Amino acid sequence: MSEILKLVLPSFLDTLYMVVFSTLFSILLGAPLGIFLVLSDKEGLLKMPKLNSIIGSIINITRSIPFIILIILLFPLSRVIVGTTIGKEAAVVPLSIAAAPFVARVVESALKDVNKGVIEAAVSLGASTPQIVFKVLIKEALPGLILGITLTIVNIIGYSAMAGVIGGGGIGDLAVRYGYQRFRTDILIVTVIILILLVEITQRTGNYFAKKIDRR
């Protein structure tokens, strides 16, 4: 048991590192895109349908690329940013870029679900676009945004496991090197259980906070 713990604990911490920072960076990249897609829609406040269509197409193309292939394509970028293509730091780059388009669509969907009457009321009161975004759209859509970010984290957990296959570190790397290549079934079972628990805890936590702040 102590041997398993010594193997699993560092890999678990590496996975947490990848998930936390990839979630943070994907939100920083994806949320502004999602907000812009809502504002630039033909029925939005900015009405820029051509640019909206271009950005939407780029997001769709990025989402359609399988994650394993995306990691390989982003090797040069990982090397430029963190100086290597191996390890948890390098894995954060493709994880963030892979999750950002998903975040953008999640944010777009949640904000479009806001009652248009509330937006029209804010416009009639003379609210600026930033005020409408932060004080109306995001505030009203917060439960949906939390559920969407929760789903994003769940996806990143799965992506992080796949990243381990090509040297990304974490639980996925442990499962491949010990569980598969060295026929350690006990290690393989433990890694699967950890991933299941991570997903379950994440989903339950997200559901709890979404319900707690849902005033509708």
Side-chain angles (χ1 to χ4, degrees), residues 36-165:
F36 180 78
L37 287 173
V38 173
L39 296 178
S40 62
D41 187 71
K42 60 182 179 180
E43 297 180 357
L45 296 174
L46 300 180
K47 294 181 176 60
M48 303 169 66
K50 290 185 178 180
L51 185 57
N52 180 286
S53 178
I54 292 171
I55 294 178
S57 296
I58 294 172
I59 289 174
N60 292 337
I61 291 170
T62 306
R63 289 181 64 190
S64 69
I65 302 174
F67 180 65
I68 293 295
I69 296 176
L70 186 62
I71 293 180
I72 297 171
L73 290 175
L74 292 175
F75 271 166
L77 182 60
S78 296
R79 185 177 289 108
V80 169
I81 295 175
V82 297
T84 182
T85 59
I86 300 174
K88 61 182 186 294
E89 292 85 2
V92 168
V93 176
L95 282 170
S96 302
I97 294 175
F102 185 82
V103 172
R105 289 303 186 189
V106 162
V107 171
E108 179 190 18
S109 178
L111 297 185
K112 282 187 173 181
D113 195 40
V114 174
N115 192 314
K116 291 184 178 180
V118 178
I119 302 173
E120 291 171 358
V123 172
S124 66
L125 291 172
S128 64
T129 299
Q131 287 175 327
I132 293 174
V133 170
F134 293 103
K135 294 185 178 181
V136 178
L137 288 174
I138 292 178
K139 185 177 179 180
E140 290 292 321
L142 197 53
L145 289 172
I146 290 175
L147 290 176
I149 296 304
T150 299
L151 185 57
T152 301
I153 296 172
V154 170
N155 284 338
I156 289 175
I157 292 172
Y159 287 159
S160 70
M162 286 189 282
V165 175

